[in-house]
Amino acid sequence: MPDDSGALRARQRTGTGIGLLLVLVLGAALLIALPGDDGPDDDGACRALTVGPWKADDGLTAEFARYGDDPGRTDDWTGGDGTHSVRLPDGRVLWLFSDTYLGPVHGPPNPHGESYAWRDPTTPLVRNSAVLMRDGRLESTLPAPLFADPAPNQWRWPVAARVEPRSPGSSEQVVRVLLWVRTAGQSPWIYGVPTATEVATLSLPGLRLESIVEVLDQRRVADPSRRVLFGTTLVEEDGWTYVFGGDDGRPASRPVSHAYAARVPQGRLADPAAWQYWSGSAWVPRARPRPVLGDGRRKGVGSAFTVVRDGGTYVLFTMAAGPKGLTSVASYWACSPAGPWHGPGKEFSPPLPAGQVAAYNPQAHPVLSGDGRLVLSYDVNWLEMTGAADRLSRNVSLYRPRFVSLRLAAVR
């Protein structure tokens, strides 16, 4: 899904286009209300927050491994990145992924004699997929790809999603899914050239794709590194859905990307005319958005990141700037979506499997969080371009989400 240091250029994917931007692609974000270490902030006051105690969530990680390795499944999800989730009204959780492997997985040893579950290296890759979970157990994969390519040499990556009224005041609910459209390009645009933000509408409870609407076309922005794609994070607050996005900083010029913010009245995510963008001083329609975070050097984000809300404080998680962005998650805090954002603050390095691999795309999952505990996922991929596709096939555990849980703590 969705480059922030020279070292990350080694992440170039093969022609199959594996995953979101491995280079500090932080990957996609959800604003949620969570109590911090000191308990709920009932008065809504803003206070400086950072990463508190954290630990690996082995149970969730194992559930995706179980589902992906199930030998009884021949056409379901076996690996993917760009991990996002949304709870449906009937209690199910819809998981959305970008580049995805389908097909059977074989038990160890692999053809190289290694003790890894593996898939055939000719297994096709689709640009997006969706998996349903019920009561903490993954059950089924929807027909993939869920969102067809808009045109030759273009594709759609799903990012954040939410359930909202079909229209303001309506009793009927639908699922809105933000989509990033990218167009095949040459280096340095090996992950595709940013093209547009769209919103898809899925029916409930059947999850039938009803429509896809373009809300922000970026093709007229001449410099692809200045194009902004929205939807890496959503939050409902006071009748508004706040939507965050990012541009694609190139390692040669900007080690990190800028974050942007928009807002939409509840029930109107699929209405381009209803979108308002932060201009630097106000929320305005149809304006060139201005960054809310990022100096292009030490401060900033990847093109996918996540934000949570604790009382009156917003906390943003992203891969760290520079080489540490291969392994470490950093945080920022602010008193409003538009900032000013303070940080980077405390960092942490989630567990990684052995080998030349990197973490990217940290995402918050409010549907799994509670009691002061925040669940974050992160994606894992092989760093080197040479042999990357083979590595992901000979060890299927690499290209799957992993999870941690953490608590927020006051900045000391």
Side-chain angles (χ1 to χ4, degrees), residues 354-377:
Q356 299 298 311
V357 299
Y360 62 108
N361 189 34
Q363 288 299 317
H365 298 281
V367 301
L368 304 173
S369 304
D371 297 327
R373 181 178 60 93
L374 169 64
V375 173
L376 287 177
S377 67

PDB file of all heavy atoms in Angstrom, residues 354-377:
ATOM      1  N   ALA A 354      12.844 -13.164  11.734  1.00  0.00           N
ATOM      2  CA  ALA A 354      14.244 -13.125  11.335  1.00  0.00           C
ATOM      3  C   ALA A 354      14.366 -12.883   9.837  1.00  0.00           C
ATOM      4  O   ALA A 354      13.477 -13.214   9.056  1.00  0.00           O
ATOM      5  CB  ALA A 354      14.927 -14.436  11.713  1.00  0.00           C
ATOM      6  N   GLY A 355      15.475 -12.271   9.417  1.00  0.00           N
ATOM      7  CA  GLY A 355      15.733 -12.041   8.005  1.00  0.00           C
ATOM      8  C   GLY A 355      15.695 -10.578   7.646  1.00  0.00           C
ATOM      9  O   GLY A 355      15.495  -9.700   8.496  1.00  0.00           O
ATOM     10  N   GLN A 356      15.882 -10.294   6.370  1.00  0.00           N
ATOM     11  CA  GLN A 356      15.903  -8.922   5.867  1.00  0.00           C
ATOM     12  C   GLN A 356      14.484  -8.422   5.651  1.00  0.00           C
ATOM     13  O   GLN A 356      13.998  -8.330   4.523  1.00  0.00           O
ATOM     14  CB  GLN A 356      16.713  -8.859   4.571  1.00  0.00           C
ATOM     15  CG  GLN A 356      18.157  -9.277   4.727  1.00  0.00           C
ATOM     16  CD  GLN A 356      18.899  -8.360   5.688  1.00  0.00           C
ATOM     17  OE1 GLN A 356      18.841  -7.141   5.579  1.00  0.00           O
ATOM     18  NE2 GLN A 356      19.613  -8.947   6.642  1.00  0.00           N
ATOM     19  N   VAL A 357      13.806  -8.118   6.748  1.00  0.00           N
ATOM     20  CA  VAL A 357      12.411  -7.711   6.684  1.00  0.00           C
ATOM     21  C   VAL A 357      12.238  -6.349   7.341  1.00  0.00           C
ATOM     22  O   VAL A 357      13.116  -5.867   8.054  1.00  0.00           O
ATOM     23  CB  VAL A 357      11.493  -8.745   7.369  1.00  0.00           C
ATOM     24  CG1 VAL A 357      11.595 -10.092   6.678  1.00  0.00           C
ATOM     25  CG2 VAL A 357      11.838  -8.870   8.847  1.00  0.00           C
ATOM     26  N   ALA A 358      11.101  -5.725   7.099  1.00  0.00           N
ATOM     27  CA  ALA A 358      10.790  -4.424   7.680  1.00  0.00           C
ATOM     28  C   ALA A 358       9.330  -4.369   8.082  1.00  0.00           C
ATOM     29  O   ALA A 358       8.474  -5.052   7.510  1.00  0.00           O
ATOM     30  CB  ALA A 358      11.096  -3.309   6.687  1.00  0.00           C
ATOM     31  N   ALA A 359       9.051  -3.531   9.083  1.00  0.00           N
ATOM     32  CA  ALA A 359       7.679  -3.242   9.483  1.00  0.00           C
ATOM     33  C   ALA A 359       7.217  -1.966   8.795  1.00  0.00           C
ATOM     34  O   ALA A 359       8.016  -1.064   8.527  1.00  0.00           O
ATOM     35  CB  ALA A 359       7.602  -3.083  10.999  1.00  0.00           C
ATOM     36  N   TYR A 360       5.917  -1.869   8.542  1.00  0.00           N
ATOM     37  CA  TYR A 360       5.358  -0.662   7.941  1.00  0.00           C
ATOM     38  C   TYR A 360       3.853  -0.650   8.163  1.00  0.00           C
ATOM     39  O   TYR A 360       3.272  -1.631   8.605  1.00  0.00           O
ATOM     40  CB  TYR A 360       5.686  -0.583   6.436  1.00  0.00           C
ATOM     41  CG  TYR A 360       5.122  -1.701   5.585  1.00  0.00           C
ATOM     42  CD1 TYR A 360       4.057  -1.475   4.709  1.00  0.00           C
ATOM     43  CD2 TYR A 360       5.658  -2.980   5.625  1.00  0.00           C
ATOM     44  CE1 TYR A 360       3.549  -2.492   3.921  1.00  0.00           C
ATOM     45  CE2 TYR A 360       5.161  -3.997   4.846  1.00  0.00           C
ATOM     46  CZ  TYR A 360       4.102  -3.754   3.991  1.00  0.00           C
ATOM     47  OH  TYR A 360       3.595  -4.772   3.207  1.00  0.00           O
ATOM     48  N   ASN A 361       3.235   0.483   7.871  1.00  0.00           N
ATOM     49  CA  ASN A 361       1.789   0.650   7.904  1.00  0.00           C
ATOM     50  C   ASN A 361       1.157   0.328   9.264  1.00  0.00           C
ATOM     51  O   ASN A 361       0.287  -0.529   9.365  1.00  0.00           O
ATOM     52  CB  ASN A 361       1.147  -0.217   6.809  1.00  0.00           C
ATOM     53  CG  ASN A 361      -0.325   0.070   6.644  1.00  0.00           C
ATOM     54  OD1 ASN A 361      -0.773   1.193   6.800  1.00  0.00           O
ATOM     55  ND2 ASN A 361      -1.091  -0.955   6.318  1.00  0.00           N
ATOM     56  N   PRO A 362       1.535   1.019  10.341  1.00  0.00           N
ATOM     57  CA  PRO A 362       0.846   0.800  11.624  1.00  0.00           C
ATOM     58  C   PRO A 362      -0.583   1.320  11.544  1.00  0.00           C
ATOM     59  O   PRO A 362      -0.820   2.423  11.056  1.00  0.00           O
ATOM     60  CB  PRO A 362       1.680   1.603  12.618  1.00  0.00           C
ATOM     61  CG  PRO A 362       2.315   2.678  11.801  1.00  0.00           C
ATOM     62  CD  PRO A 362       2.546   2.087  10.442  1.00  0.00           C
ATOM     63  N   GLN A 363      -1.519   0.519  12.008  1.00  0.00           N
ATOM     64  CA  GLN A 363      -2.929   0.900  11.952  1.00  0.00           C
ATOM     65  C   GLN A 363      -3.626   0.586  13.267  1.00  0.00           C
ATOM     66  O   GLN A 363      -3.436  -0.489  13.852  1.00  0.00           O
ATOM     67  CB  GLN A 363      -3.641   0.148  10.830  1.00  0.00           C
ATOM     68  CG  GLN A 363      -3.263   0.618   9.436  1.00  0.00           C
ATOM     69  CD  GLN A 363      -3.606   2.082   9.228  1.00  0.00           C
ATOM     70  OE1 GLN A 363      -4.685   2.539   9.618  1.00  0.00           O
ATOM     71  NE2 GLN A 363      -2.697   2.819   8.628  1.00  0.00           N
ATOM     72  N   ALA A 364      -4.449   1.505  13.761  1.00  0.00           N
ATOM     73  CA  ALA A 364      -5.244   1.283  14.961  1.00  0.00           C
ATOM     74  C   ALA A 364      -6.531   0.555  14.597  1.00  0.00           C
ATOM     75  O   ALA A 364      -7.103   0.771  13.531  1.00  0.00           O
ATOM     76  CB  ALA A 364      -5.579   2.615  15.627  1.00  0.00           C
ATOM     77  N   HIS A 365      -6.990  -0.290  15.513  1.00  0.00           N
ATOM     78  CA  HIS A 365      -8.214  -1.068  15.296  1.00  0.00           C
ATOM     79  C   HIS A 365      -9.154  -0.878  16.484  1.00  0.00           C
ATOM     80  O   HIS A 365      -9.130  -1.651  17.448  1.00  0.00           O
ATOM     81  CB  HIS A 365      -7.867  -2.541  15.077  1.00  0.00           C
ATOM     82  CG  HIS A 365      -7.016  -2.765  13.879  1.00  0.00           C
ATOM     83  ND1 HIS A 365      -7.536  -2.791  12.588  1.00  0.00           N
ATOM     84  CD2 HIS A 365      -5.677  -2.898  13.744  1.00  0.00           C
ATOM     85  CE1 HIS A 365      -6.547  -2.972  11.719  1.00  0.00           C
ATOM     86  NE2 HIS A 365      -5.412  -3.029  12.394  1.00  0.00           N
ATOM     87  N   PRO A 366      -9.996   0.160  16.439  1.00  0.00           N
ATOM     88  CA  PRO A 366     -10.908   0.427  17.556  1.00  0.00           C
ATOM     89  C   PRO A 366     -11.871  -0.711  17.804  1.00  0.00           C
ATOM     90  O   PRO A 366     -12.364  -0.877  18.915  1.00  0.00           O
ATOM     91  CB  PRO A 366     -11.630   1.704  17.127  1.00  0.00           C
ATOM     92  CG  PRO A 366     -11.471   1.766  15.652  1.00  0.00           C
ATOM     93  CD  PRO A 366     -10.152   1.159  15.353  1.00  0.00           C
ATOM     94  N   VAL A 367     -12.167  -1.517  16.773  1.00  0.00           N
ATOM     95  CA  VAL A 367     -13.117  -2.614  16.953  1.00  0.00           C
ATOM     96  C   VAL A 367     -12.564  -3.680  17.890  1.00  0.00           C
ATOM     97  O   VAL A 367     -13.326  -4.498  18.420  1.00  0.00           O
ATOM     98  CB  VAL A 367     -13.492  -3.248  15.599  1.00  0.00           C
ATOM     99  CG1 VAL A 367     -14.100  -2.206  14.682  1.00  0.00           C
ATOM    100  CG2 VAL A 367     -12.279  -3.897  14.926  1.00  0.00           C
ATOM    101  N   LEU A 368     -11.266  -3.688  18.108  1.00  0.00           N
ATOM    102  CA  LEU A 368     -10.641  -4.674  18.980  1.00  0.00           C
ATOM    103  C   LEU A 368     -10.079  -4.056  20.250  1.00  0.00           C
ATOM    104  O   LEU A 368      -9.496  -4.758  21.081  1.00  0.00           O
ATOM    105  CB  LEU A 368      -9.504  -5.392  18.234  1.00  0.00           C
ATOM    106  CG  LEU A 368      -9.895  -6.058  16.915  1.00  0.00           C
ATOM    107  CD1 LEU A 368      -8.662  -6.577  16.196  1.00  0.00           C
ATOM    108  CD2 LEU A 368     -10.878  -7.196  17.161  1.00  0.00           C
ATOM    109  N   SER A 369     -10.230  -2.748  20.403  1.00  0.00           N
ATOM    110  CA  SER A 369      -9.634  -2.025  21.518  1.00  0.00           C
ATOM    111  C   SER A 369     -10.667  -1.765  22.611  1.00  0.00           C
ATOM    112  O   SER A 369     -11.873  -1.856  22.385  1.00  0.00           O
ATOM    113  CB  SER A 369      -9.060  -0.688  21.032  1.00  0.00           C
ATOM    114  OG  SER A 369      -8.130  -0.879  19.980  1.00  0.00           O
ATOM    115  N   GLY A 370     -10.198  -1.442  23.802  1.00  0.00           N
ATOM    116  CA  GLY A 370     -11.090  -1.102  24.900  1.00  0.00           C
ATOM    117  C   GLY A 370     -10.397  -1.205  26.238  1.00  0.00           C
ATOM    118  O   GLY A 370      -9.284  -1.739  26.347  1.00  0.00           O
ATOM    119  N   ASP A 371     -11.044  -0.676  27.271  1.00  0.00           N
ATOM    120  CA  ASP A 371     -10.501  -0.693  28.629  1.00  0.00           C
ATOM    121  C   ASP A 371      -9.104  -0.085  28.690  1.00  0.00           C
ATOM    122  O   ASP A 371      -8.227  -0.573  29.410  1.00  0.00           O
ATOM    123  CB  ASP A 371     -10.468  -2.125  29.179  1.00  0.00           C
ATOM    124  CG  ASP A 371     -11.859  -2.725  29.313  1.00  0.00           C
ATOM    125  OD1 ASP A 371     -12.798  -1.966  29.604  1.00  0.00           O
ATOM    126  OD2 ASP A 371     -12.004  -3.944  29.111  1.00  0.00           O
ATOM    127  N   GLY A 372      -8.906   0.978  27.925  1.00  0.00           N
ATOM    128  CA  GLY A 372      -7.620   1.653  27.931  1.00  0.00           C
ATOM    129  C   GLY A 372      -6.567   0.992  27.079  1.00  0.00           C
ATOM    130  O   GLY A 372      -5.429   1.473  27.011  1.00  0.00           O
ATOM    131  N   ARG A 373      -6.911  -0.107  26.412  1.00  0.00           N
ATOM    132  CA  ARG A 373      -5.954  -0.846  25.600  1.00  0.00           C
ATOM    133  C   ARG A 373      -6.192  -0.546  24.130  1.00  0.00           C
ATOM    134  O   ARG A 373      -7.309  -0.660  23.634  1.00  0.00           O
ATOM    135  CB  ARG A 373      -6.113  -2.351  25.856  1.00  0.00           C
ATOM    136  CG  ARG A 373      -5.156  -3.251  25.088  1.00  0.00           C
ATOM    137  CD  ARG A 373      -5.411  -4.710  25.478  1.00  0.00           C
ATOM    138  NE  ARG A 373      -6.780  -5.097  25.153  1.00  0.00           N
ATOM    139  CZ  ARG A 373      -7.116  -5.682  23.998  1.00  0.00           C
ATOM    140  NH1 ARG A 373      -6.209  -5.928  23.082  1.00  0.00           N
ATOM    141  NH2 ARG A 373      -8.370  -6.014  23.774  1.00  0.00           N
ATOM    142  N   LEU A 374      -5.165  -0.165  23.419  1.00  0.00           N
ATOM    143  CA  LEU A 374      -5.235   0.147  22.004  1.00  0.00           C
ATOM    144  C   LEU A 374      -4.547  -0.957  21.208  1.00  0.00           C
ATOM    145  O   LEU A 374      -3.397  -1.303  21.482  1.00  0.00           O
ATOM    146  CB  LEU A 374      -4.550   1.493  21.725  1.00  0.00           C
ATOM    147  CG  LEU A 374      -4.310   1.859  20.258  1.00  0.00           C
ATOM    148  CD1 LEU A 374      -5.636   2.012  19.527  1.00  0.00           C
ATOM    149  CD2 LEU A 374      -3.488   3.136  20.165  1.00  0.00           C
ATOM    150  N   VAL A 375      -5.253  -1.510  20.236  1.00  0.00           N
ATOM    151  CA  VAL A 375      -4.685  -2.545  19.373  1.00  0.00           C
ATOM    152  C   VAL A 375      -4.189  -1.900  18.088  1.00  0.00           C
ATOM    153  O   VAL A 375      -4.924  -1.167  17.420  1.00  0.00           O
ATOM    154  CB  VAL A 375      -5.722  -3.639  19.051  1.00  0.00           C
ATOM    155  CG1 VAL A 375      -5.174  -4.619  18.008  1.00  0.00           C
ATOM    156  CG2 VAL A 375      -6.102  -4.382  20.324  1.00  0.00           C
ATOM    157  N   LEU A 376      -2.926  -2.150  17.771  1.00  0.00           N
ATOM    158  CA  LEU A 376      -2.314  -1.688  16.527  1.00  0.00           C
ATOM    159  C   LEU A 376      -1.854  -2.890  15.724  1.00  0.00           C
ATOM    160  O   LEU A 376      -1.317  -3.856  16.286  1.00  0.00           O
ATOM    161  CB  LEU A 376      -1.092  -0.805  16.797  1.00  0.00           C
ATOM    162  CG  LEU A 376      -1.270   0.605  17.329  1.00  0.00           C
ATOM    163  CD1 LEU A 376       0.096   1.230  17.578  1.00  0.00           C
ATOM    164  CD2 LEU A 376      -2.049   1.463  16.345  1.00  0.00           C
ATOM    165  N   SER A 377      -2.048  -2.826  14.400  1.00  0.00           N
ATOM    166  CA  SER A 377      -1.439  -3.815  13.510  1.00  0.00           C
ATOM    167  C   SER A 377      -0.272  -3.167  12.786  1.00  0.00           C
ATOM    168  O   SER A 377      -0.173  -1.942  12.700  1.00  0.00           O
ATOM    169  CB  SER A 377      -2.447  -4.339  12.488  1.00  0.00           C
ATOM    170  OG  SER A 377      -2.828  -3.304  11.589  1.00  0.00           O
TER     171      SER A 377
END
